[in-house]
């Protein structure tokens, strides 16, 4: 799902128009001439020899999202696009979430005859236990850490994190629990051979990316520990939505240092334009080099 230009201005505070324009490789896919960062919301299907795995289920349709009103009440043909790509809801074996924010779990459920039901009837909804329990606690009124502080960015937003989390839990998580389709797993859990959770904390305490491997090849679906490609050039720049900005920057810096110049394929969850590529050295920092798209 594309995000309207300007809608996330200020999410990364240091990414002023002047700072964005200074990084020329961001153009034209990840920034525009006005110096605004460009964003998208992606879900990925990992097709293994044994299973089909959906990673991060977007905003969903008809959801109540007072934290980001423009992303609520949608009526998008997401499932139709999935079927066109060869994946019916009943074909999905596992649904994963890098974390449980509203724009990563929405398609877990769909509204059927006025009730929220699991979208993927044969899937195990497999979530990291620490992440799940934190959001369950928020839904039950426990104190929040500073995550989703970026609510103030959105015009017309209601910044009540507890209210929004209750809605997300009720609409996108509880129906999967009620259906007996949820598995809570530890950090590093291997979901199916070649697909495992990899801890990348900071955006949320329990944030996990998804590591994919096949023979000598490997890839990583980022989730939000790298929100935007500009953070590859400037890894110390954290999002206003990060629960722990220092930890987020440290996680990102260590990751970029370890993978720069390697064959690891990075799959950006919020990267507009080409979202698959490699991290390569760029002076004393890094840049994102997209891979050519194939037909």
């Amino acid at each position: 799902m594309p995000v309207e230009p300007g809608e996330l201005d200020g999410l990364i505070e240091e990414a002023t128009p002047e700072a964005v324009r200074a990084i020329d490789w961001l153009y034209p896919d990840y920034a525009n001439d006005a110096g605004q960062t460009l964003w998208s919301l992606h879900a990925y299907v990992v097709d293994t020899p044994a299973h089909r795995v959906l990673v991060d289920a977007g905003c969903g349709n008809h959801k109540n999202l007072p934290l980001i009103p423009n992303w609520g009440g949608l009526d998008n043909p997401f499932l139709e696009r999935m079927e066109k790509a060869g994946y019916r809801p009943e074909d999905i074996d596992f649904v994963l979430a890098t974390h449980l924010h509203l724009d990563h779990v929405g398609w877990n459920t769909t509204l059927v005859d006025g009730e929220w039901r699991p979208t993927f009837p044969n899937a195990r909804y497999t979530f990291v236990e620490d992440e799940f329990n934190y959001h369950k606690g928020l839904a039950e009124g426990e104190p929040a850490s500073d995550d989703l502080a970026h609510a103030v960015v959105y015009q017309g937003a209601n910044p009540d994190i507890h209210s929004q989390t209750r809605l997300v839990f009720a609409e996108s998580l509880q129906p999967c629990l009620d259906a007996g389709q949820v598995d809570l797993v530890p950090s590093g859990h291997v979901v199916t051979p070649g697909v495992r959770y990899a801890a990348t904390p900071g955006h949320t305490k329990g944030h996990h990316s998804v590591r994919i491997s096949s023979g000598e090849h490997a890839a990583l679906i980022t989730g939000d520990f790298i929100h935007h490609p500009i953070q590859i050039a400037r890894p110390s720049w954290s999002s206003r939505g990060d629960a722990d900005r220092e930890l987020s920057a440290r996680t990102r810096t260590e990751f970029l240092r370890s993978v720069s110049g390697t064959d690891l394929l990075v799959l950006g969850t919020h990267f507009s334009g080409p979202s698959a590529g490699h991290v390569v050295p760029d002076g004393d920092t890094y840049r994102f080099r997209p891979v050519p798209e194939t037909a």
Side-chain angles (χ1 to χ4, degrees):
M1 184 183 90
V3 176
E4 288 296 318
E7 193 165 13
L8 296 182
D9 286 359
L11 182 57
I12 300 171
E13 289 178 291
E14 297 92 339
T16 63
E18 295 76 18
V20 172
R21 293 190 192 100
I23 305 172
D24 59 1
W25 61 262
L26 292 174
Y27 297 89
D29 294 313
Y30 311 113
N32 61 22
D33 290 336
Q36 294 171 306
T37 50
L38 302 178
W39 304 70
S40 292
L41 278 66
H42 297 295
Y44 289 96
V45 175
V46 182
D47 206 338
T48 81
H51 297 108
R52 290 174 168 178
V53 182
L54 176 70
V55 180
D56 279 345
C59 287
N61 278 352
H62 315 302
K63 301 291 169 128
N64 292 297
L65 303 181
L67 188 65
I68 311 179
N70 288 350
W71 295 3
L74 300 175
D75 188 15
N76 287 336
F78 174 79
L79 296 179
E80 291 83 350
R81 292 199 298 266
M82 276 190 65
E83 290 203 37
K84 187 176 180 180
Y87 303 102
R88 301 170 302 168
E90 56 266 34
D91 296 331
I92 300 299
D93 298 298
F94 294 97
V95 176
L96 310 187
T98 57
H99 59 299
L100 301 184
H101 283 167
L102 59 90
D103 52 326
H104 295 259
V105 298
W107 278 106
N108 285 356
T109 60
T110 47
L111 195 60
V112 180
D113 296 330
E115 295 184 359
W116 294 107
R117 299 181 185 175
T119 303
F120 307 100
N122 300 319
R124 301 306 302 174
Y125 288 77
T126 304
F127 307 132
V128 174
E129 187 170 15
D130 286 349
E131 177 73 5
F132 185 89
N133 286 341
Y134 172 66
H135 286 269
K136 184 174 185 291
L138 281 183
E140 295 171 350
E142 292 183 8
S145 59
D146 198 30
D147 64 341
L148 287 185
H150 63 277
V152 297
V153 172
Y154 307 109
Q155 185 174 5
N158 175 0
D160 182 351
I161 183 62
H162 290 91
S163 174
Q164 180 64 86
T165 305
R166 280 193 293 272
L167 285 168
V168 170
F169 209 91
E171 295 179 352
S172 298
L173 297 171
Q174 190 64 48
C176 303
L177 278 169
D178 294 342
Q181 291 181 236
V182 171
D183 295 322
L184 301 181
V185 301
S187 179
H189 177 74
V190 176
V191 178
T192 187
V195 181
R196 67 174 176 86
Y197 275 114
T200 47
H203 182 63
T204 63
K205 181 180 179 181
H207 187 282
H208 281 67
S209 300
V210 175
R211 178 93 178 196
I212 307 161
S213 59
S214 177
E216 297 180 354
H217 303 288
L220 188 91
I221 299 173
T222 62
D224 287 3
F225 97 100
I226 302 176
H227 246 143
H228 188 275
I230 199 170
Q231 293 174 298
I232 295 176
R234 304 289 185 266
S236 65
W237 292 4
S238 292
S239 161
R240 293 179 67 193
D242 290 344
D244 186 331
R245 296 192 196 188
E246 290 185 6
L247 178 57
S248 174
R250 188 163 63 250
T251 298
R252 199 162 40 250
T253 299
E254 292 172 356
F255 170 79
L256 294 170
R257 183 184 300 120
S258 70
V259 306
S260 177
T262 73
D263 292 332
L264 180 78
L265 187 66
V266 174
L267 302 169
T269 301
H270 286 299
F271 292 12
S272 63
S275 57
H278 300 103
V279 175
V280 298
D282 188 21
D284 60 356
T285 185
Y286 314 97
R287 66 186 295 162
F288 185 65
R289 179 176 291 166
V291 297
E293 293 187 14
T294 58

